[in-house]
Amino acid sequence: MIHKALTQNPQAKTNSSAQLAKLPQATRDRIAHIDFTLLFKGEAIRADVVNRFSITAAQTTKDFTLYRELAPHNIEYDQKLKVHKRGKAFTPLFDYDVVRTLATISQGYGDGFTGEVKPPLACEAPYHLNKPSLSIVAKVTEAIHKGKALSITYVSLSSGETTREIVPHTLVDNGLRWHVRCFDRRRAEFRDFVLTRIKSAEVLENSTLHETELETQDRQWNRFVELQLVPHPRIKHQEAIELDYGMVNGVMIIEIRAATAGYLLRQWHVDCSTEHALNGLEYQLWLRNSQALYGVTNLSIAPGRAS
């Protein structure tokens, strides 16, 4: 990832860029990790840096001191909680690409942000409908990290713009756009919210979560279903599809969360009708065991099925 210094004014930006450029790569990596965790968790802990980079506590203290010198408005120390918090005037030291950021968040905080990563061969990522706001992503991840509720202004197809409180627990990439899986306090149920439709978000620091709002109570999320995908019966040379999907004995078996099953079935254009009735050329797969979808709640987006 290419990183660019971003600070409070042009002169500070120039100074920070020059200082960052002079740092050893290992130090730069640790500074980037602190910057990243402050942005997306709202706080940074010394023990996290010690464990992440296998360095001494004394070295970590020096890193936090250096970070404070580079961006004094970005970090505040809470004496009571013994934790470094994100400053109210925070501006990231590094310019984060939102697509790479979301990919990195999904694989683990703090990895792969301190240098330009060039793939060995030309490669294009799947095109997403839109890129969510980095600031919105940061608020969502902070709420997840802290175990807090989030107040959002959201625009839906059915209700238009509304303000509501959600309790987020996981970011989900459905292949086209990013969602947040959460408990919606307005409807008292677990749902998915599209990140690009969130206009504003604020972590409710004083919020207390009820047991019914926790990820462990999200039945659709914690339930797994087995999907048996086979070549669509109307296809003449079915071996071609078997090779495409690495099928064994003519079937591909996938275990997937019930909450995300509809997304996969739609993205892969799987004919989910019991009599393989869809005839479009895009339907190269058929769901052989449609009974596995019993109780799955988001089937309205699965081809050939309705909730």
Side-chain angles (χ1 to χ4, degrees), residues 37-56:
T37 52
L38 283 172
L39 176 57
F40 292 102
K41 291 185 177 181
E43 60 188 17
I45 303 172
R46 283 203 316 165
D48 176 50
V49 181
V50 169
N51 294 333
R52 170 71 175 83
F53 295 97
S54 299
I55 59 175
T56 65

Side-chain angles (χ1 to χ4, degrees), residues 156-170:
S156 71
L157 292 175
S158 58
S159 304
E161 182 175 315
T162 59
T163 299
R164 61 184 77 198
E165 291 183 10
I166 64 172
V167 179
H169 67 71
T170 307

